[in-house]
Amino acid sequence: MVVDALPLRAVAANVIAAVEHGQSLSQCLPSALASLPATDRPELQALCYGTCRWFHRLDGELHQRLKKPLRKPDRVVHHLMLVALFQLRHSQQATYAILNETVEACRALDKPHLTGLVNGVLRAAQREGEPEPVTPTIQYSHPEWMVEKLRHNWPEAWAAILEANNAQAPMTLRVNASQITRDDYLQWLTDAGIEAEATPYAPYGIQLASPCGVDKLPGFADGAVSVQDEAAQLCTTLLDLAPGQRVLDACAAPGGKTCAILEHCPELADVIALDQSAERLPRVQENLDRLGLSATLMEADAANLDQWWDQLPFDRILLDVPCSASGVIRRHPDIKLLRREADITPLAAIQSGLLTSLWKTLKPGGRLVYATCSVFPQENHRIIQRFLKQERTARLLEPDVAWGITTPAGRQLLPNARSHDGFFYACLERIDE
C-alpha cells in the first residue's frame, strides 16, 4: 500500500482497498497513520473505521449510482468515493469541501481521467440524498451471509444485533480492586469532570458517558484502572478464584483477562499466560507491568501440550478461544469485510481441539471457563454440547447470574448498543471418572 505524500482521503481510500484485499485495520492502518501529520491522524482513523462500518450500505448506494463498475486498475477510486459518501452521510463536514478534496485526492491517486465521474457521482448523491435501502444487507450494512446466519440463529433478535454492531461502542473501564474501590474511583472521575456510571453486571466495571484518552483517566498510569468491555470482565466472576490456585489463561494476548484474574485474586499460587503469538505477548507484559502484576508468560500453541505443559494440573482454566469475533464488530468493523461464512467451520474445529486438549491439564474438581466473543451457536453452545457427549469427566455448571441468555450449554450475551459486547461463556467442572 503506497501512502507517502498522499492527501488524507487518498490515504483512506488505500486503507479501505487493503482491507477489501484481506488486511485488517490493525495491520494496514498504523503505517497509513504514520504517513500523515499528527493533526490529521484522528480524522483518518475516523474515516477508515466509519467507511468499514457502513461499507455495505455505502457500496450499495454507489453501485446504484454507477452505470457500470470501474475497471480493476481503477478500483481505488471506488474506495475513494465510498470514503466521500461516508462523509456525506455521516459527518458534519461541509459538502463543498468533501467534493473538492475528493476530486483532488483522485488526481493524487494518478486517476485524473476519473475526476469528472467522481464529481458527478458525489454531486448527485448530495443533491438526491441517500436512496432507500433495497435489501437487509444494504439497510443494516452487513454481508449477506452474516445477515442470513443471524436471522436463522436469532430470529427475534437479529435486527437488534445488526443495529448494535453499527453503533459506536462505549468506553468501559475495569477498576483495579487491589488498589481502589469502584465507588472511590467513580468519585475520582467526578472530580476530574468525567461522567460515568457503574456497570450492572461486572462488579468492577465503569462505563463512561463519552470516550476519552487514557491520559485523562485518573491513576491510569499507576494501574488504578484498565480499559475492558463489561462482557469480557465477567470471566473472573465465573472462574471462582481462590488463594493458592494454579490458573491458566490460554490464548491470553493482549492480557486484559490475565490482569483481571490477578486483580480479582492476588493470592493465586501461579498464573500462566499462554499465547502462540510472539508479537502479541509483549503487550501482555506491558499491561502486567503498568498494573504491578506478575504472571508467567509462555509462547506456544495451547493445543500442543508437549510444547509447554509441565504435567502439573491447573485448578482453573480460562479458554478464550479464537473465533469469528462476531460479537465485537462495533469495535472492529473491518470484520464485516474480512470474515467469510466459510471461516466458521474451521474455527469451530480449532475451538473443539483446544477444549479437548486443555481438558487434560485440568485437576479433578477444577473448573474451565470457555469463552468467545462470538454470537454464532456453531462456535458456542454447540461446541460445548458435543464436548459433553464425548467427555465423561465433564459436567456443565449453571452459574447463578443475572446476565445473558440461557442456551442449551452456556450463556450468551448479545451485543447491546448502549453497553456490553457480544460474548459467550460456559463453565465446565472436571469430575472423577
Side-chain angles (χ1 to χ4, degrees), residues 216-243:
K216 302 292 193 300
L217 297 174
F220 180 85
D222 299 321
V225 71
S226 300
V227 178
Q228 188 179 39
D229 183 76
E230 181 183 19
Q233 294 184 40
L234 296 171
C235 67
T236 56
T237 67
L238 299 176
L239 282 166
D240 190 29
L241 298 167

Side-chain angles (χ1 to χ4, degrees), residues 81-82 144 157 159 201 212 267 269 278-279 392 410 421-422 431:
M81 288 190 282
L82 292 179
E144 182 179 4
Y201 306 128
C212 70
E267 303 86 5
E279 293 77 21
R392 292 181 300 171
D421 291 337
I431 56 178

Side-chain angles (χ1 to χ4, degrees), residues 263-414:
E263 290 173 4
H264 188 80
C265 188
E267 303 86 5
L268 294 169
D270 192 16
V271 175
I272 309 292
L274 184 69
D275 203 277
Q276 66 177 351
S277 171
E279 293 77 21
R280 298 182 74 205
L281 275 173
R283 178 75 184 279
V284 181
Q285 191 62 57
E286 290 171 11
N287 284 321
L288 290 167
D289 291 345
R290 182 180 63 82
L291 294 161
L293 302 170
S294 178
T296 302
L297 273 56
M298 299 181 69
E299 177 197 344
D301 176 0
N304 189 346
L305 302 185
D306 292 339
Q307 279 188 10
W308 64 273
W309 188 38
D310 57 8
Q311 304 299 310
L312 296 176
F314 294 96
D315 300 282
R316 298 288 184 269
I317 297 174
L318 174 61
L319 177 55
D320 186 359
V321 293
C323 71
S324 65
S326 51
V328 293
I329 287 174
R330 61 186 187 164
R331 299 187 188 277
H332 305 283
D334 49 340
I335 290 169
K336 296 181 184 182
L337 284 75
L338 299 172
R339 189 65 66 219
R340 300 288 183 266
E341 186 173 15
D343 299 337
I344 307 303
T345 297
L347 282 168
I350 292 169
Q351 294 151 4
S352 292
L354 284 164
L355 179 54
T356 300
S357 292
L358 289 176
W359 192 254
K360 301 183 181 85
T361 72
L362 187 64
K363 278 183 185 176
R367 179 179 295 197
L368 182 149
V369 172
Y370 175 94
T372 79
C373 54
S374 171
V375 296
F376 296 140
Q378 191 174 346
E379 302 181 272
N380 296 338
H381 75 255
R382 293 177 193 164
I383 297 284
I384 303 303
Q385 285 178 305
R386 284 198 300 273
F387 181 72
L388 290 168
K389 286 181 180 179
Q390 72 187 32
E391 182 53 67
R392 292 181 300 171
T393 65
R395 179 166 70 98
L396 181 68
L397 300 177
E398 297 287 357
D400 183 16
V401 295
W403 48 263
I405 298 167
T406 301
T407 75
R411 296 192 72 80
Q412 178 73 60
L413 287 149
L414 299 178

